[in-house]
Amino acid sequence: MSQFNILVLHGPNLNLLGLREPEIYGSVTLTQINSILQEESKRLQVSLSCLQSNHEGVLVDVIHQAMDKIQGIVINPGAYNHTSVAIIDALAGVKIPTVEVHLSNIHRREEFRHHSYIAPIAIGQISGFGVNSYILGLQALVNHLNEAVNH
Ligand code: DQA
């Protein structure tokens, strides 16, 4: 296995994927997304762990615990993307390279979804490609980490 341990974080309500507004979020469940990402992580030769929480403080705690263990984070913060200063502060505090992903295109939706607290401290944002947003986000993150090691 490679040197990189990657953490995938899913924020609130993403446990309902498959049932929740399928016209927006599709019919793939969170369990299916996590197993697709596990497959992709094997191909990319990184080790991957996934966690979902509906609680901001739990996400903050998990980000703190990632320090010194995790080399990169893929996060779909859900609604906390648009509200949480605590999550950006946690990510900025641990300084772990992070990619922000969204299933839906947040910029084509209600105005309150257009602002991302996470984007200014993220390597980048991938939004609007359904489950592929996660796969593209993971690929982009691993690419970024590999480039950093090779330079
Ligand atoms: C979401 C977009 C957010 O605006 C929303 O609150 C979510 C899901 C997405 O993946 O498209 O919970 O992050």
Side-chain angles (χ1 to χ4, degrees):
M1 250 311 155
S2 110
Q3 53 194 321
F4 298 131
N5 298 314
I6 307 293
L7 175 64
V8 178
L9 286 178
H10 309 278
N13 300 305
L14 294 166
N15 54 313
L16 294 181
L17 285 177
L19 297 171
R20 174 192 184 200
E21 302 179 273
E23 65 291 356
I24 297 175
Y25 298 116
S27 54
V28 184
T29 65
L30 191 64
T31 308
Q32 288 167 330
I33 291 179
N34 288 341
S35 65
I36 290 167
L37 291 174
Q38 285 296 351
E39 280 305 305
E40 186 61 17
S41 72
K42 282 182 207 145
R43 203 184 67 74
L44 295 167
Q45 299 186 307
V46 294
S47 47
L48 188 98
S49 49
C50 301
L51 180 126
Q52 187 275 333
S53 178
N54 293 322
H55 304 278
E56 189 175 24
V58 171
L59 293 165
V60 169
D61 284 343
V62 169
I63 292 166
H64 293 175
Q65 286 153 15
M67 208 167 10
D68 301 328
K69 296 189 198 99
I70 295 289
Q71 285 71 49
I73 295 176
V74 174
I75 186 167
N76 181 348
Y80 288 144
N81 188 58
H82 319 302
T83 64
S84 181
V85 176
I87 291 177
I88 28 163
D89 283 353
L91 290 168
V94 299
K95 291 199 173 71
I96 299 174
T98 297
V99 173
E100 173 190 335
V101 301
H102 301 280
L103 295 149
S104 64
N105 180 348
I106 57 172
H107 302 286
R108 286 180 67 175
R109 299 184 61 196
E110 304 95 316
E111 198 155 344
F112 66 85
R113 296 185 200 275
H114 297 179
H115 179 255
S116 166
Y117 275 97
I118 312 291
I121 55 102
I123 304 166
Q125 180 196 73
I126 299 173
S127 178
F129 298 97
V131 63
N132 283 329
S133 292
Y134 282 94
I135 298 170
L136 293 166
L138 177 60
Q139 291 170 348
L141 177 63
V142 173
N143 211 41
H144 173 91
L145 295 173
N146 281 327
E147 275 178 2
V149 166
N150 296 327
H151 281 99

PDB file of all heavy atoms in Angstrom, residues 12-14 20 24-25 76-82 101-106 109 112-113 127-128 134, ligand 1:
ATOM      1  N   PRO A  12     -23.805  16.391   6.890  1.00  0.00           N
ATOM      2  CA  PRO A  12     -25.174  16.066   7.269  1.00  0.00           C
ATOM      3  C   PRO A  12     -26.081  15.711   6.097  1.00  0.00           C
ATOM      4  O   PRO A  12     -25.950  16.257   4.999  1.00  0.00           O
ATOM      5  CB  PRO A  12     -25.678  17.350   7.943  1.00  0.00           C
ATOM      6  CG  PRO A  12     -24.757  18.415   7.486  1.00  0.00           C
ATOM      7  CD  PRO A  12     -23.432  17.769   7.246  1.00  0.00           C
ATOM      8  N   ASN A  13     -26.960  14.779   6.376  1.00  0.00           N
ATOM      9  CA  ASN A  13     -28.018  14.316   5.464  1.00  0.00           C
ATOM     10  C   ASN A  13     -27.518  13.423   4.334  1.00  0.00           C
ATOM     11  O   ASN A  13     -28.321  12.871   3.589  1.00  0.00           O
ATOM     12  CB  ASN A  13     -28.835  15.497   4.889  1.00  0.00           C
ATOM     13  CG  ASN A  13     -29.515  16.288   5.988  1.00  0.00           C
ATOM     14  OD1 ASN A  13     -30.249  15.718   6.784  1.00  0.00           O
ATOM     15  ND2 ASN A  13     -29.238  17.572   6.064  1.00  0.00           N
ATOM     16  N   LEU A  14     -26.211  13.276   4.221  1.00  0.00           N
ATOM     17  CA  LEU A  14     -25.703  12.441   3.128  1.00  0.00           C
ATOM     18  C   LEU A  14     -25.914  10.955   3.415  1.00  0.00           C
ATOM     19  O   LEU A  14     -25.855  10.131   2.509  1.00  0.00           O
ATOM     20  CB  LEU A  14     -24.243  12.785   2.827  1.00  0.00           C
ATOM     21  CG  LEU A  14     -24.122  14.218   2.263  1.00  0.00           C
ATOM     22  CD1 LEU A  14     -22.686  14.700   2.281  1.00  0.00           C
ATOM     23  CD2 LEU A  14     -24.692  14.316   0.857  1.00  0.00           C
ATOM     24  N   ARG A  20     -33.033  10.570  -0.587  1.00  0.00           N
ATOM     25  CA  ARG A  20     -33.157  12.018  -0.460  1.00  0.00           C
ATOM     26  C   ARG A  20     -33.152  12.698  -1.831  1.00  0.00           C
ATOM     27  O   ARG A  20     -32.176  12.590  -2.580  1.00  0.00           O
ATOM     28  CB  ARG A  20     -31.946  12.491   0.341  1.00  0.00           C
ATOM     29  CG  ARG A  20     -31.812  13.966   0.465  1.00  0.00           C
ATOM     30  CD  ARG A  20     -30.430  14.327   1.012  1.00  0.00           C
ATOM     31  NE  ARG A  20     -30.371  15.748   1.216  1.00  0.00           N
ATOM     32  CZ  ARG A  20     -29.253  16.439   1.311  1.00  0.00           C
ATOM     33  NH1 ARG A  20     -28.081  15.825   1.233  1.00  0.00           N
ATOM     34  NH2 ARG A  20     -29.287  17.733   1.487  1.00  0.00           N
ATOM     35  N   ILE A  24     -32.229  15.445  -7.524  1.00  0.00           N
ATOM     36  CA  ILE A  24     -31.041  16.302  -7.371  1.00  0.00           C
ATOM     37  C   ILE A  24     -29.793  15.458  -7.127  1.00  0.00           C
ATOM     38  O   ILE A  24     -28.745  15.693  -7.721  1.00  0.00           O
ATOM     39  CB  ILE A  24     -31.225  17.294  -6.187  1.00  0.00           C
ATOM     40  CG1 ILE A  24     -32.391  18.238  -6.469  1.00  0.00           C
ATOM     41  CG2 ILE A  24     -29.937  18.093  -5.937  1.00  0.00           C
ATOM     42  CD1 ILE A  24     -32.737  19.166  -5.311  1.00  0.00           C
ATOM     43  N   TYR A  25     -29.930  14.474  -6.247  1.00  0.00           N
ATOM     44  CA  TYR A  25     -28.729  13.772  -5.777  1.00  0.00           C
ATOM     45  C   TYR A  25     -28.534  12.381  -6.392  1.00  0.00           C
ATOM     46  O   TYR A  25     -27.528  11.733  -6.111  1.00  0.00           O
ATOM     47  CB  TYR A  25     -28.747  13.674  -4.241  1.00  0.00           C
ATOM     48  CG  TYR A  25     -28.725  15.033  -3.584  1.00  0.00           C
ATOM     49  CD1 TYR A  25     -29.799  15.479  -2.817  1.00  0.00           C
ATOM     50  CD2 TYR A  25     -27.635  15.879  -3.755  1.00  0.00           C
ATOM     51  CE1 TYR A  25     -29.780  16.738  -2.228  1.00  0.00           C
ATOM     52  CE2 TYR A  25     -27.609  17.139  -3.169  1.00  0.00           C
ATOM     53  CZ  TYR A  25     -28.685  17.567  -2.412  1.00  0.00           C
ATOM     54  OH  TYR A  25     -28.651  18.810  -1.840  1.00  0.00           O
ATOM     55  N   ASN A  76     -17.292  16.282   1.420  1.00  0.00           N
ATOM     56  CA  ASN A  76     -18.562  16.859   0.996  1.00  0.00           C
ATOM     57  C   ASN A  76     -19.212  17.348   2.286  1.00  0.00           C
ATOM     58  O   ASN A  76     -19.800  16.569   3.032  1.00  0.00           O
ATOM     59  CB  ASN A  76     -19.457  15.826   0.305  1.00  0.00           C
ATOM     60  CG  ASN A  76     -20.764  16.475  -0.158  1.00  0.00           C
ATOM     61  OD1 ASN A  76     -21.071  17.608   0.224  1.00  0.00           O
ATOM     62  ND2 ASN A  76     -21.529  15.759  -0.964  1.00  0.00           N
ATOM     63  N   PRO A  77     -19.087  18.649   2.576  1.00  0.00           N
ATOM     64  CA  PRO A  77     -19.568  19.145   3.864  1.00  0.00           C
ATOM     65  C   PRO A  77     -21.085  19.258   3.936  1.00  0.00           C
ATOM     66  O   PRO A  77     -21.619  19.631   4.986  1.00  0.00           O
ATOM     67  CB  PRO A  77     -18.940  20.544   3.958  1.00  0.00           C
ATOM     68  CG  PRO A  77     -18.059  20.700   2.762  1.00  0.00           C
ATOM     69  CD  PRO A  77     -18.486  19.705   1.758  1.00  0.00           C
ATOM     70  N   GLY A  78     -21.795  18.944   2.821  1.00  0.00           N
ATOM     71  CA  GLY A  78     -23.245  19.125   2.811  1.00  0.00           C
ATOM     72  C   GLY A  78     -23.565  20.577   3.129  1.00  0.00           C
ATOM     73  O   GLY A  78     -22.853  21.490   2.726  1.00  0.00           O
ATOM     74  N   ALA A  79     -24.627  20.784   3.915  1.00  0.00           N
ATOM     75  CA  ALA A  79     -25.058  22.153   4.220  1.00  0.00           C
ATOM     76  C   ALA A  79     -24.018  22.933   5.025  1.00  0.00           C
ATOM     77  O   ALA A  79     -23.992  24.173   4.971  1.00  0.00           O
ATOM     78  CB  ALA A  79     -26.376  22.112   4.982  1.00  0.00           C
ATOM     79  N   TYR A  80     -23.136  22.224   5.756  1.00  0.00           N
ATOM     80  CA  TYR A  80     -22.100  22.947   6.520  1.00  0.00           C
ATOM     81  C   TYR A  80     -21.153  23.712   5.610  1.00  0.00           C
ATOM     82  O   TYR A  80     -20.446  24.620   6.052  1.00  0.00           O
ATOM     83  CB  TYR A  80     -21.304  21.988   7.407  1.00  0.00           C
ATOM     84  CG  TYR A  80     -22.070  21.464   8.596  1.00  0.00           C
ATOM     85  CD1 TYR A  80     -21.887  20.165   9.046  1.00  0.00           C
ATOM     86  CD2 TYR A  80     -22.970  22.279   9.276  1.00  0.00           C
ATOM     87  CE1 TYR A  80     -22.589  19.682  10.143  1.00  0.00           C
ATOM     88  CE2 TYR A  80     -23.678  21.803  10.369  1.00  0.00           C
ATOM     89  CZ  TYR A  80     -23.480  20.506  10.794  1.00  0.00           C
ATOM     90  OH  TYR A  80     -24.168  20.026  11.876  1.00  0.00           O
ATOM     91  N   ASN A  81     -21.127  23.324   4.337  1.00  0.00           N
ATOM     92  CA  ASN A  81     -20.333  24.070   3.376  1.00  0.00           C
ATOM     93  C   ASN A  81     -20.703  25.551   3.380  1.00  0.00           C
ATOM     94  O   ASN A  81     -19.854  26.426   3.188  1.00  0.00           O
ATOM     95  CB  ASN A  81     -20.587  23.488   1.987  1.00  0.00           C
ATOM     96  CG  ASN A  81     -19.679  24.054   0.947  1.00  0.00           C
ATOM     97  OD1 ASN A  81     -18.475  23.950   1.066  1.00  0.00           O
ATOM     98  ND2 ASN A  81     -20.251  24.688  -0.056  1.00  0.00           N
ATOM     99  N   HIS A  82     -21.995  25.797   3.595  1.00  0.00           N
ATOM    100  CA  HIS A  82     -22.520  27.162   3.470  1.00  0.00           C
ATOM    101  C   HIS A  82     -22.631  27.876   4.814  1.00  0.00           C
ATOM    102  O   HIS A  82     -23.080  29.010   4.872  1.00  0.00           O
ATOM    103  CB  HIS A  82     -23.896  27.116   2.797  1.00  0.00           C
ATOM    104  CG  HIS A  82     -23.972  26.152   1.654  1.00  0.00           C
ATOM    105  ND1 HIS A  82     -23.140  26.247   0.560  1.00  0.00           N
ATOM    106  CD2 HIS A  82     -24.728  25.041   1.469  1.00  0.00           C
ATOM    107  CE1 HIS A  82     -23.415  25.244  -0.270  1.00  0.00           C
ATOM    108  NE2 HIS A  82     -24.365  24.497   0.259  1.00  0.00           N
ATOM    109  N   VAL A 101     -16.014  18.492  -2.488  1.00  0.00           N
ATOM    110  CA  VAL A 101     -16.838  17.912  -3.563  1.00  0.00           C
ATOM    111  C   VAL A 101     -18.327  18.052  -3.243  1.00  0.00           C
ATOM    112  O   VAL A 101     -18.728  18.070  -2.079  1.00  0.00           O
ATOM    113  CB  VAL A 101     -16.502  16.416  -3.818  1.00  0.00           C
ATOM    114  CG1 VAL A 101     -15.041  16.227  -4.198  1.00  0.00           C
ATOM    115  CG2 VAL A 101     -16.856  15.513  -2.651  1.00  0.00           C
ATOM    116  N   HIS A 102     -19.108  18.160  -4.311  1.00  0.00           N
ATOM    117  CA  HIS A 102     -20.570  18.171  -4.198  1.00  0.00           C
ATOM    118  C   HIS A 102     -21.167  17.348  -5.313  1.00  0.00           C
ATOM    119  O   HIS A 102     -20.698  17.428  -6.464  1.00  0.00           O
ATOM    120  CB  HIS A 102     -21.121  19.596  -4.307  1.00  0.00           C
ATOM    121  CG  HIS A 102     -20.580  20.498  -3.257  1.00  0.00           C
ATOM    122  ND1 HIS A 102     -21.061  20.507  -1.969  1.00  0.00           N
ATOM    123  CD2 HIS A 102     -19.564  21.392  -3.295  1.00  0.00           C
ATOM    124  CE1 HIS A 102     -20.359  21.376  -1.260  1.00  0.00           C
ATOM    125  NE2 HIS A 102     -19.444  21.920  -2.040  1.00  0.00           N
ATOM    126  N   LEU A 103     -22.200  16.605  -4.980  1.00  0.00           N
ATOM    127  CA  LEU A 103     -22.913  15.828  -5.999  1.00  0.00           C
ATOM    128  C   LEU A 103     -23.605  16.761  -6.996  1.00  0.00           C
ATOM    129  O   LEU A 103     -23.506  16.594  -8.205  1.00  0.00           O
ATOM    130  CB  LEU A 103     -23.968  14.938  -5.322  1.00  0.00           C
ATOM    131  CG  LEU A 103     -23.403  13.846  -4.408  1.00  0.00           C
ATOM    132  CD1 LEU A 103     -24.371  13.546  -3.275  1.00  0.00           C
ATOM    133  CD2 LEU A 103     -23.112  12.601  -5.205  1.00  0.00           C
ATOM    134  N   SER A 104     -24.319  17.748  -6.454  1.00  0.00           N
ATOM    135  CA  SER A 104     -25.045  18.696  -7.310  1.00  0.00           C
ATOM    136  C   SER A 104     -24.134  19.882  -7.629  1.00  0.00           C
ATOM    137  O   SER A 104     -23.119  20.090  -6.957  1.00  0.00           O
ATOM    138  CB  SER A 104     -26.311  19.174  -6.589  1.00  0.00           C
ATOM    139  OG  SER A 104     -25.966  19.899  -5.418  1.00  0.00           O
ATOM    140  N   ASN A 105     -24.525  20.636  -8.666  1.00  0.00           N
ATOM    141  CA  ASN A 105     -23.781  21.856  -8.991  1.00  0.00           C
ATOM    142  C   ASN A 105     -24.331  22.981  -8.111  1.00  0.00           C
ATOM    143  O   ASN A 105     -25.374  23.559  -8.415  1.00  0.00           O
ATOM    144  CB  ASN A 105     -23.942  22.183 -10.479  1.00  0.00           C
ATOM    145  CG  ASN A 105     -23.179  23.432 -10.865  1.00  0.00           C
ATOM    146  OD1 ASN A 105     -22.711  24.182 -10.005  1.00  0.00           O
ATOM    147  ND2 ASN A 105     -23.062  23.682 -12.150  1.00  0.00           N
ATOM    148  N   ILE A 106     -23.614  23.288  -7.029  1.00  0.00           N
ATOM    149  CA  ILE A 106     -24.126  24.254  -6.044  1.00  0.00           C
ATOM    150  C   ILE A 106     -24.314  25.644  -6.654  1.00  0.00           C
ATOM    151  O   ILE A 106     -25.122  26.422  -6.178  1.00  0.00           O
ATOM    152  CB  ILE A 106     -23.238  24.325  -4.772  1.00  0.00           C
ATOM    153  CG1 ILE A 106     -21.786  24.674  -5.104  1.00  0.00           C
ATOM    154  CG2 ILE A 106     -23.319  23.045  -3.983  1.00  0.00           C
ATOM    155  CD1 ILE A 106     -20.911  24.946  -3.869  1.00  0.00           C
ATOM    156  N   ARG A 109     -27.842  26.276  -8.165  1.00  0.00           N
ATOM    157  CA  ARG A 109     -28.968  26.088  -7.251  1.00  0.00           C
ATOM    158  C   ARG A 109     -29.280  27.391  -6.494  1.00  0.00           C
ATOM    159  O   ARG A 109     -28.901  28.465  -6.941  1.00  0.00           O
ATOM    160  CB  ARG A 109     -28.648  24.915  -6.312  1.00  0.00           C
ATOM    161  CG  ARG A 109     -28.449  23.613  -7.098  1.00  0.00           C
ATOM    162  CD  ARG A 109     -28.230  22.424  -6.204  1.00  0.00           C
ATOM    163  NE  ARG A 109     -29.383  22.195  -5.341  1.00  0.00           N
ATOM    164  CZ  ARG A 109     -29.351  21.417  -4.240  1.00  0.00           C
ATOM    165  NH1 ARG A 109     -28.227  20.815  -3.897  1.00  0.00           N
ATOM    166  NH2 ARG A 109     -30.435  21.249  -3.511  1.00  0.00           N
ATOM    167  N   PHE A 112     -28.243  30.727  -1.612  1.00  0.00           N
ATOM    168  CA  PHE A 112     -27.536  30.464  -0.345  1.00  0.00           C
ATOM    169  C   PHE A 112     -26.531  29.321  -0.471  1.00  0.00           C
ATOM    170  O   PHE A 112     -25.668  29.156   0.387  1.00  0.00           O
ATOM    171  CB  PHE A 112     -28.526  30.203   0.809  1.00  0.00           C
ATOM    172  CG  PHE A 112     -29.341  28.936   0.680  1.00  0.00           C
ATOM    173  CD1 PHE A 112     -28.830  27.714   1.109  1.00  0.00           C
ATOM    174  CD2 PHE A 112     -30.621  28.958   0.134  1.00  0.00           C
ATOM    175  CE1 PHE A 112     -29.570  26.546   1.011  1.00  0.00           C
ATOM    176  CE2 PHE A 112     -31.374  27.792   0.018  1.00  0.00           C
ATOM    177  CZ  PHE A 112     -30.851  26.589   0.456  1.00  0.00           C
ATOM    178  N   ARG A 113     -26.644  28.535  -1.559  1.00  0.00           N
ATOM    179  CA  ARG A 113     -25.674  27.441  -1.751  1.00  0.00           C
ATOM    180  C   ARG A 113     -24.444  27.899  -2.542  1.00  0.00           C
ATOM    181  O   ARG A 113     -23.492  27.143  -2.709  1.00  0.00           O
ATOM    182  CB  ARG A 113     -26.322  26.270  -2.501  1.00  0.00           C
ATOM    183  CG  ARG A 113     -27.441  25.610  -1.740  1.00  0.00           C
ATOM    184  CD  ARG A 113     -27.962  24.382  -2.455  1.00  0.00           C
ATOM    185  NE  ARG A 113     -29.294  24.055  -1.986  1.00  0.00           N
ATOM    186  CZ  ARG A 113     -29.557  23.324  -0.893  1.00  0.00           C
ATOM    187  NH1 ARG A 113     -28.578  22.818  -0.168  1.00  0.00           N
ATOM    188  NH2 ARG A 113     -30.801  23.097  -0.535  1.00  0.00           N
ATOM    189  N   SER A 127     -17.953  20.063  -8.390  1.00  0.00           N
ATOM    190  CA  SER A 127     -19.363  20.214  -8.058  1.00  0.00           C
ATOM    191  C   SER A 127     -20.213  19.908  -9.286  1.00  0.00           C
ATOM    192  O   SER A 127     -19.958  20.465 -10.357  1.00  0.00           O
ATOM    193  CB  SER A 127     -19.561  21.681  -7.619  1.00  0.00           C
ATOM    194  OG  SER A 127     -20.876  21.966  -7.306  1.00  0.00           O
ATOM    195  N   GLY A 128     -21.178  19.013  -9.130  1.00  0.00           N
ATOM    196  CA  GLY A 128     -22.152  18.840 -10.203  1.00  0.00           C
ATOM    197  C   GLY A 128     -22.082  17.544 -10.979  1.00  0.00           C
ATOM    198  O   GLY A 128     -22.868  17.347 -11.904  1.00  0.00           O
ATOM    199  N   TYR A 134     -17.000  12.757  -6.440  1.00  0.00           N
ATOM    200  CA  TYR A 134     -16.126  12.143  -5.424  1.00  0.00           C
ATOM    201  C   TYR A 134     -14.920  11.463  -6.084  1.00  0.00           C
ATOM    202  O   TYR A 134     -13.799  11.549  -5.590  1.00  0.00           O
ATOM    203  CB  TYR A 134     -16.878  11.088  -4.630  1.00  0.00           C
ATOM    204  CG  TYR A 134     -17.809  11.595  -3.552  1.00  0.00           C
ATOM    205  CD1 TYR A 134     -19.162  11.799  -3.811  1.00  0.00           C
ATOM    206  CD2 TYR A 134     -17.347  11.823  -2.257  1.00  0.00           C
ATOM    207  CE1 TYR A 134     -20.030  12.220  -2.812  1.00  0.00           C
ATOM    208  CE2 TYR A 134     -18.205  12.241  -1.252  1.00  0.00           C
ATOM    209  CZ  TYR A 134     -19.544  12.444  -1.535  1.00  0.00           C
ATOM    210  OH  TYR A 134     -20.397  12.862  -0.544  1.00  0.00           O
TER     211      TYR A 134
HETATM  212  C1  DQA B   1     -24.396  19.052  -1.384  1.00  0.00           C
HETATM  213  C2  DQA B   1     -24.928  20.453  -1.726  1.00  0.00           C
HETATM  214  C3  DQA B   1     -25.314  21.199  -0.452  1.00  0.00           C
HETATM  215  O1  DQA B   1     -25.815  22.480  -0.788  1.00  0.00           O
HETATM  216  C4  DQA B   1     -26.378  20.443   0.301  1.00  0.00           C
HETATM  217  O2  DQA B   1     -26.689  21.109   1.509  1.00  0.00           O
HETATM  218  C5  DQA B   1     -26.025  19.029   0.540  1.00  0.00           C
HETATM  219  C6  DQA B   1     -25.379  18.274  -0.527  1.00  0.00           C
HETATM  220  C7  DQA B   1     -24.104  18.224  -2.648  1.00  0.00           C
HETATM  221  O3  DQA B   1     -23.405  17.212  -2.526  1.00  0.00           O
HETATM  222  O4  DQA B   1     -24.586  18.555  -3.736  1.00  0.00           O
HETATM  223  O5  DQA B   1     -26.318  18.456   1.583  1.00  0.00           O
HETATM  224  O6  DQA B   1     -23.167  19.204  -0.668  1.00  0.00           O
END
